[in-house]
Amino acid sequence: MDYRLHRYRSACGRLDLAARDYPAREAGAPDLLLMHGLTRNSADFEPLAAHLAGRYRLIVPDQRGRGLSQWDPEPSQYRPDVYAQDMLALLDGLGVTRACLIGTSMGGLMAMVMNALRPELAAGFVFNDIGPVLDPAGLARIQGYVGAGRTMASWQEAAARCRAVNAAAFPDFGGADWLSFARRTCRENADGTVSFAYDPAISQGMDGDTPQTVPPDLWPLWDLLDAAPVLVVRGALSDLLSAGTVREMAQRHAGPFAAVEVPRVGHAPILDELPAVAAISAFLREQVPSSRT
């Protein structure tokens, strides 16, 4: 799964941002833009990339303040509408005019904002455990841990920390799973200690009863998806996206709509689970065709 590290400027022109660019084996293969969640980075999609790389071109960015992308000195800019503008700058710089947008959690919010800004862009949408209604319990849980940027002494301690925060979402994970989770979520510092791979200041957008990271009413953005093909992946244990919201999403959508629930997984599925991989593969094959002639 070789990829090229692509560097580009943020939409505001102030920040140096990074993205992984996995090439497709054949010309004309669809472009997929994979956007991670609030505290994650491009490594979050390594498990899904193992299934999709080569068949598609995968563009997997680190949002500002995450991974290899520069931290923003203005924390007020850590918002989905700002990230969406960065994504449009990324695609424009790569010459991509049409892509399937795959978003985990916050990445799904960004996909809806991008569609409102440029409705001709998306060939389809995959929403990973996110929708137009966010359960207050899930938001409160996220508020409880995001921004706790203490340094950890080792990768084993980092794995234990990831487990402490996410154990309810992945009850079947073992020690090796948590270590892999930590290596995708954290970074090793020059002195051998380990830190989460994001700017702790991203937590400022989660403060208060109405987090800045979440637009106040998402149904108008959802309705703008109109007839576009949509797949929703939901963790059966999710505390952020309810099954009832998924049903309403289906009822309000005019175009092709599919949903899959991943058993014994909460917020958010890794997307290497068999039901998720099968659903995403089928969706891309049927709804996001190649442009090869």
Side-chain angles (χ1 to χ4, degrees), residues 219-241:
W219 283 116
L221 290 180
W222 175 258
D223 292 338
L224 289 177
L225 269 61
D226 193 28
V230 168
L231 169 66
V232 177
V233 180
R234 178 181 180 268
L237 306 179
S238 178
D239 61 356
L240 196 68
L241 176 65

Side-chain angles (χ1 to χ4, degrees), residues 4-286:
R4 175 180 68 92
L5 184 64
H6 174 68
R7 294 282 188 178
Y8 65 105
R9 298 298 290 177
S10 61
C12 63
R14 296 185 294 106
L15 304 177
D16 179 35
L17 306 182
R20 302 183 183 194
D21 189 351
Y22 297 79
R25 285 189 293 266
E26 298 184 31
D31 295 315
L32 312 183
L33 178 67
L34 286 67
M35 297 175 287
H36 60 73
L38 180 66
T39 62
R40 307 295 179 83
N41 58 78
S42 58
D44 203 44
F45 286 107
E46 287 177 353
L48 180 60
H51 295 278
L52 300 182
R55 288 186 287 157
Y56 306 92
R57 183 189 185 183
L58 310 181
I59 303 165
V60 194
D62 290 328
Q63 302 302 328
R64 59 173 68 193
R66 285 86 163 174
L68 297 178
S69 287
Q70 187 176 351
W71 292 9
D72 198 322
E74 299 180 18
S76 63
Q77 297 303 295
Y78 288 138
R79 307 192 313 265
D81 58 323
V82 175
Y83 305 140
Q85 294 282 5
D86 289 340
M87 295 300 93
L88 296 178
L90 167 62
L91 295 180
D92 288 346
L94 293 172
V96 174
T97 59
R98 188 95 167 140
C100 178
L101 307 185
I102 300 177
T104 292
S105 194
M106 182 188 77
L109 302 182
M110 293 162 54
M112 285 189 269
V113 174
M114 291 173 67
N115 179 69
L117 295 172
R118 196 176 294 181
E120 73 279 5
L121 172 65
F125 298 86
V126 178
F127 293 99
N128 182 20
D129 214 61
I130 193 69
V133 177
L134 308 185
D135 192 308
L139 285 176
R141 178 182 57 80
I142 294 169
Q143 285 175 313
Y145 73 79
V146 65
R150 65 184 175 91
T151 300
M152 294 158 283
S154 66
W155 281 108
Q156 288 69 33
E157 184 180 341
R161 174 62 178 160
C162 290
R163 180 175 184 173
V165 171
N166 299 282
F170 303 102
D172 297 332
F173 267 22
D177 299 308
W178 288 117
L179 184 57
S180 295
F181 189 101
R183 290 193 178 277
R184 294 192 303 271
T185 308
C186 304
R187 64 169 180 270
E188 186 168 344
N189 303 313
D191 62 358
T193 61
V194 179
S195 301
F196 286 105
Y198 65 82
D199 179 0
I202 67 171
S203 65
Q204 295 185 27
M206 290 296 294
D207 294 338
D209 295 331
T210 306
Q212 297 176 27
T213 52
V214 182
D217 184 2
L218 291 166
W219 283 116
L221 290 180
W222 175 258
D223 292 338
L224 289 177
L225 269 61
D226 193 28
V230 168
L231 169 66
V232 177
V233 180
R234 178 181 180 268
L237 306 179
S238 178
D239 61 356
L240 196 68
L241 176 65
S242 72
T245 295
V246 175
R247 287 193 293 270
E248 187 170 355
M249 291 163 73
Q251 292 167 0
R252 292 177 64 146
H253 191 65
F257 183 95
V260 62
E261 193 165 88
V262 181
R264 293 189 59 77
V265 170
H267 183 76
I270 303 297
L271 300 183
D272 64 347
E273 303 90 353
L274 289 178
V277 171
I280 292 170
S281 297
F283 176 80
L284 294 174
R285 184 173 60 251
E286 296 166 7

